[in-house]
Amino acid sequence: MTTSVESVETYTRTPVVDTLKTENIGKIVRLCGWVRTRRDSKGGFSFIEVNDGSTFNSVQVLAENTLPNYENEVLKLGIGSSIEVIGSIVESPGKGQTTEVKAQSLKVFGYADPATYPLQKKGTSMEFLRTISHLRPRTNTFGAVARVRNEICKSIHNFFQSRGFVYVHTPIITGSDAEGAGQMFKVTTLDLDKLPRTPDGAIDFEQDFFGKATNLTVSGQLQGEMYATALSNIYTFGPTFRAENSNTSRHLSEFWMIEPEMAFCDLEGNMQCAEEFLKTIFNDVLTNCPVDMNFFNERIEKTTIETLKHICDSAFIRISYTEAVDILLKSGETFEFPVSWGIDLQSEHERYLTEKKFKKPVIVYDYPKDIKAFYMRLNEDGKTVRAMDVLVPKIGEIIGGSQREERLDKLEERMKACHLDPEEYGAYLDLRRFGTVPHAGFGLGLERTVQFVTGMGNIRDVIPFPRAPKTADF
Ligand code: 4AD
Ligand code: MG
């Protein structure tokens, strides 16, 4: 089907991804994007590679010297310039592409000065690209990361929506500490130079904006439980904030977390849900992002596709914390942090289990109560809680979750042992006073998921604008 140039409406645009399809040969299109390269031929024409982020690949535009602005404008186009081309999709005689766009007109929106445009050279380092987070989405790698991250988010919503979970928005500003770990960013409008004091010298938060001390949320779980104990199955998906001073390739100060919470569910059901959830995400990315995933597999991490396929096809390993410690003790490995029952598993231990011992995801459950949060259900042994962590190769912990303590007396005891004031958690305790039910849930870190799927080495490169200690640019 051929349309005439006159019928091309300027509020519509054909994305590059569609100009690459042979079924569109013969169509007249309005193509817009940023120049990746320009090659001039002695025969009086130029090839311009145009990318618009709609797919990994660029489309080749053929611009002939019969264009009225060929000498004055087309020959000035360099990497980063933005253009509009109206032209027809034709079969490409050249190697490496099946279609190209033959320009009937070419308009320049804006040039990019080659002397100052920072993305001139190929193979610029990830560290350098982090200093230009506003331009790095124009690179192959960061475009691919953005599309895969988007696909993962779509898959997450689909997974829960298709199972009847209700998407609940939990607050970003909160007065409670969901993890009881005190790693929170304070939210205040008090004048830091003139802090109001109470008679005993403490900061008088009654004079603050909310009339009390508030912080950015570390997790939506507690509020999630409030909705799960009414709507049964819910999930949250939002930003969370942690003021832990961890300068690692797996920690961010601001990251996105997905937290399902299920009433009438125990740890077994929680593990089942987590396993199905991860497999669905990996499968969706492999199915729907083949071009981007091939790039990651070739250029970033040679085993990523194989690893994801293998995970989708086999069952996760499930071992108790006590069994995990036993395996580590018998491993014959020398770890930097020595292993004994009661320690918090370090990333080196987690990686030994998933990378060396089992070579697949491992769910470790029933952790010692002293290294886990106050809300986890106490086991009969009085020493361990119904916690679970899902560990994956290279990343270590990707999911943390638990069956929740639904018994009022036990929960109050645990809070006191953790030096938390039950008065401050009155609403949370009400859930145990009025129609309490067994329930369970977990949190998946979105960035660790994107990191795992793409094979990107540093978590700061899988979120558009990373926040980490001493880092809050853009
Ligand atoms: O294990 P965490 O701390 O669990 C919770 O917050 C629970 N409230 C979840 C729940 O049961 N509803 O965090 C969950 C996940 C981790 O497994 C990890 O993937 C990610 O969140 N995560 C981080 N990701 C990036 N940077 C950090 N600083 C992270 N801390 C946790
Ligand atoms: Mg955890």
Side-chain angles (χ1 to χ4, degrees):
M1 189 193 80
T2 311
T3 14
S4 70
V5 180
E6 286 74 33
S7 76
V8 174
E9 294 154 337
T10 51
Y11 56 84
T12 56
R13 182 176 69 76
T14 304
V16 167
V17 65
D18 289 340
T19 64
L20 296 171
K21 294 177 181 156
T22 46
E23 73 222 42
N24 287 328
I25 285 174
K27 286 191 183 154
I28 304 281
V29 293
R30 174 175 178 254
L31 166 74
C32 300
W34 292 267
V35 172
R36 283 291 177 86
T37 59
R38 192 196 81 231
R39 282 185 296 124
D40 306 320
S41 159
K42 290 209 182 67
F45 55 87
S46 300
F47 288 121
I48 304 162
E49 297 278 340
V50 178
N51 189 284
D52 68 354
S54 60
T55 182
F56 185 86
N57 294 314
S58 303
V59 66
Q60 175 164 289
V61 169
L62 170 65
E64 292 173 319
N65 63 3
T66 48
L67 291 172
N69 57 348
Y70 184 78
E71 292 290 331
N72 287 337
E73 295 190 342
V74 175
L75 289 182
K76 287 192 195 133
L77 290 174
I79 181 169
S81 306
S82 49
I83 60 171
E84 171 194 75
V85 173
I86 292 178
S88 51
I89 302 178
V90 297
E91 202 173 317
S92 178
K95 277 202 192 113
Q97 69 271 329
T98 48
T99 64
E100 61 188 37
V101 174
K102 187 167 182 295
Q104 297 172 7
S105 72
L106 188 153
K107 184 170 113 186
V108 180
F109 290 120
Y111 294 100
D113 180 1
T116 51
Y117 187 58
L119 290 172
Q120 289 292 332
K121 278 192 253 91
K122 286 206 165 150
T124 30
S125 74
M126 296 289 174
E127 287 76 16
F128 170 70
L129 290 173
R130 248 169 256 152
T131 68
I132 51 163
S133 289
H134 59 307
L135 293 172
R136 66 179 186 171
R138 295 189 188 183
T139 63
N140 282 338
T141 305
F142 287 87
V145 167
R147 284 183 298 271
V148 167
R149 185 178 165 111
N150 175 65
E151 176 63 32
I152 291 173
C153 295
K154 202 162 76 184
S155 171
I156 287 166
H157 281 297
N158 284 345
F159 178 88
F160 290 119
Q161 293 295 332
S162 67
R163 284 164 176 76
F165 284 61
V166 176
Y167 179 28
V168 172
H169 297 102
T170 51
I172 309 262
I173 300 174
T174 167
S176 62
D177 178 0
E179 291 300 296
Q183 298 172 318
M184 298 174 301
F185 290 102
K186 293 188 172 64
V187 174
T188 181
T189 55
L190 290 177
D191 182 347
L192 298 184
D193 288 325
K194 277 185 278 166
L195 287 173
R197 300 279 172 180
T198 60
D200 59 6
I203 295 168
D204 185 6
F205 283 107
E206 272 183 29
Q207 295 190 42
D208 203 350
F209 189 89
F210 295 107
K212 61 189 277 195
T214 51
N215 48 272
L216 294 178
T217 187
V218 294
S219 155
Q221 181 195 319
L222 304 193
Q223 294 92 347
E225 285 184 53
M226 293 167 189
Y227 268 69
T229 50
L231 299 168
S232 302
N233 282 355
I234 65 96
Y235 69 107
T236 71
F237 187 167
T240 50
F241 308 85
R242 301 220 176 154
E244 56 187 326
N245 199 4
S246 297
N247 253 306
T248 80
S249 60
R250 303 174 309 120
H251 286 89
L252 289 166
S253 312
E254 175 179 310
F255 63 97
W256 287 66
M257 187 154 54
I258 302 92
E259 296 181 275
E261 192 69 34
M262 297 165 282
F264 319 108
C265 180
D266 60 9
L267 191 69
E268 178 66 24
N270 208 23
M271 291 197 263
Q272 240 169 38
C273 180
E275 180 168 344
E276 266 179 51
F277 181 42
L278 286 178
K279 285 178 172 173
T280 302
I281 294 172
F282 300 158
N283 196 48
D284 283 350
V285 173
L286 288 173
T287 309
N288 299 327
C289 302
V291 186
D292 290 320
M293 285 309 294
N294 277 334
F295 165 77
F296 288 118
N297 204 57
E298 276 169 28
R299 302 295 292 274
I300 304 289
E301 167 60 58
K302 296 257 180 280
T303 57
T304 186
I305 290 183
E306 187 195 319
T307 305
L308 294 175
K309 280 187 179 156
H310 174 62
I311 290 176
C312 291
D313 291 342
S314 63
F316 291 11
I317 301 288
R318 297 182 190 185
I319 52 170
S320 70
Y321 170 88
T322 304
E323 288 170 302
V325 165
D326 238 33
I327 291 169
L328 292 168
L329 286 173
K330 290 182 184 140
S331 68
E333 300 270 320
T334 12
F335 294 111
E336 191 188 333
F337 294 89
V339 178
S340 65
W341 200 95
I343 63 150
D344 205 355
L345 296 185
Q346 302 295 316
S347 139
E348 54 174 341
H349 308 135
E350 297 176 340
R351 292 184 61 169
Y352 172 80
L353 292 170
T354 66
E355 285 168 30
K356 286 202 175 159
K357 176 75 185 171
F358 295 111
K359 299 190 171 57
K360 55 168 83 166
V362 178
I363 309 183
V364 180
Y365 58 90
D366 285 352
Y367 281 78
K369 67 174 195 287
D370 294 336
I371 57 168
K372 288 292 182 187
F374 67 93
Y375 50 70
M376 301 185 178
R377 193 178 200 278
L378 191 65
N379 279 314
E380 297 297 304
D381 63 12
K383 289 192 306 191
T384 59
V385 287
R386 300 248 79 190
M388 63 154 199
D389 278 3
V390 182
L391 316 177
V392 293
K394 302 248 157 60
I395 306 287
E397 179 192 338
I398 196 166
I399 281 181
S402 62
Q403 183 174 339
R404 319 305 187 189
E405 183 55 82
E406 85 285 13
R407 299 163 296 185
L408 182 62
D409 53 335
K410 295 270 191 296
L411 183 56
E412 282 176 328
E413 262 172 53
R414 271 292 286 154
M415 285 181 141
K416 284 181 198 140
C418 295
H419 307 291
L420 296 171
D421 182 4
E423 294 275 300
E424 282 182 26
Y425 291 82
Y428 189 66
L429 292 169
D430 268 357
L431 307 180
R432 280 75 183 164
R433 286 190 187 99
F434 310 124
T436 193
V437 293
H439 60 291
F442 61 83
L444 170 71
L446 176 65
E447 286 74 19
R448 289 200 186 163
T449 310
V450 181
Q451 215 188 337
F452 181 65
V453 165
T454 58
M456 293 288 285
N458 195 311
I459 197 164
R460 297 179 193 196
D461 299 328
V462 297
I463 186 166
F465 303 100
R467 270 84 185 92
K470 302 278 181 285
T471 305
D473 301 326
F474 304 97

